[in-house]
Amino acid sequence: MALFSAADRDDFHRQLDAALAPRVQADERAPLAALARALYAGVALDELAERRLADLAGSCLSAWRLLERFDPAQPQVRLFDPDYAHHGWQSPHSVLQVLHADMPFLVDSLRIELRRRGLTVHSVQNCVLELRRDAAGRLLELLEPGAPAATAREALVCLEIDRCAGAGERHLLSQALHEVLADVRLAVGDYAPMRERLRALLEQVGEADG
C-alpha cells in the first residue's frame, strides 16, 4: 500500500490539492480545497498518514459531490462500501456520509446508535459549513465562517464504520439513522418552546409566592 508522508498540515493539503486537481473543474479547486481543510481539521496528521493519499482525495471528493444539492427537509444519509470500480477509491470499512441542517447532538446521536448496534467507528470527519444555495437547493458558493451572504449552515459528517454484511444491512441501518436524526430534530425543535414554558411557570410560581 503506497502511503504518503507530510512535513506538516500545510504540506498535507498541498499534496491533497495536487491529487484532487486532475479530478475536478478548475473553478472547483478552491472551494474543494476549503472543504478539505474543514473536513480534515479535526483529524491528526499521523492518522491521515496511515491512509493512501488517493483514498483521502476520493473521500473528500465524494463529500464534495454530496454538497451539490440539498433540501434541509430531507437530510441525506449515504452508506456505501467504496471500491475503485464504482467510486475511484477504497476503504476496508463502510462509509457513512450525512448532510444535515446544523444543530446540536448530531454526531453523538449517530455514534450512540452505531454503538448500540455493535458497530465500531474507525474514523470521524465532521465540519459545519456555511453555504449559499439557490431556491432549488443547488450549491452556489462555499463561504468563510460568519459570511453574511450565507443562506445555509449545514453539518457534514463522514464516518468509517465496521463493514456491513451487504446491501440489506446497509438499507436497514440507513433507515434507523434517518429515524435517529428525526428524533434529534424533534428534540432540538422542542427545546426553545419548552424553555420558554418553564420560564413562564417559574414566573407564575414566583408571583404566587410573593
Side-chain angles (χ1 to χ4, degrees):
M1 180 181 293
L3 305 181
F4 73 98
S5 61
D8 53 31
R9 193 164 289 272
D10 286 340
D11 184 28
F12 161 68
H13 281 290
R14 281 193 293 271
Q15 294 184 52
L16 184 63
D17 293 350
L20 286 166
R23 303 173 66 174
V24 297
Q25 300 295 322
D27 61 352
E28 292 182 292
R29 290 187 60 180
L32 181 55
L35 172 65
R37 287 188 175 274
L39 192 60
Y40 293 128
V43 185
L45 190 60
D46 288 347
E47 181 181 340
L48 293 170
E50 295 175 355
R51 301 282 302 276
R52 295 178 71 254
L53 188 64
D55 293 335
L56 291 170
S59 178
C60 186
L61 184 59
S62 177
W64 172 248
R65 297 306 180 205
L66 194 70
L67 295 179
E68 290 180 343
R69 190 164 185 159
F70 180 60
D71 177 359
Q74 297 179 322
Q76 295 194 49
V77 175
R78 186 181 183 216
L79 181 61
F80 64 104
D81 297 339
D83 63 66
Y84 279 119
H86 295 94
H87 307 100
W89 63 287
Q90 67 179 6
S91 170
H93 309 121
S94 290
V95 172
L96 171 65
Q97 297 175 332
V98 174
L99 185 61
H100 196 287
D102 181 42
M103 60 182 60
F105 315 125
L106 292 174
V107 177
D108 286 344
S109 298
L110 292 169
R111 296 188 72 162
I112 288 170
E113 178 63 17
L114 292 168
R115 189 181 308 119
R116 188 184 72 80
R117 291 171 172 268
L119 295 168
T120 299
V121 176
H122 297 275
S123 177
V124 180
Q125 298 98 44
N126 68 285
C127 56
V128 176
L129 303 170
E130 299 196 36
L131 314 99
R132 189 167 63 88
R133 295 189 180 275
D134 65 15
R138 289 184 291 262
L139 178 63
L140 298 176
E141 191 175 4
L142 182 61
L143 302 169
E144 294 291 330
T151 58
R153 183 176 170 87
E154 297 164 13
L156 174 63
V157 183
C158 300
L159 307 178
E160 294 196 16
I161 65 174
D162 288 343
R163 187 164 283 238
C164 297
E169 183 178 342
R170 289 196 300 272
H171 176 71
L172 291 174
L173 180 56
S174 296
Q175 285 186 319
L177 295 174
H178 270 294
E179 292 172 3
V180 166
L181 294 172
D183 288 343
V184 172
R185 292 193 296 277
L186 182 62
V188 171
D190 282 348
Y191 175 72
M194 290 175 63
R195 185 177 59 182
E196 290 302 313
R197 178 59 177 160
L198 179 59
R199 184 168 63 182
L201 290 171
L202 289 173
E203 290 176 354
Q204 291 176 14
V205 170
E207 292 172 358
D209 290 343

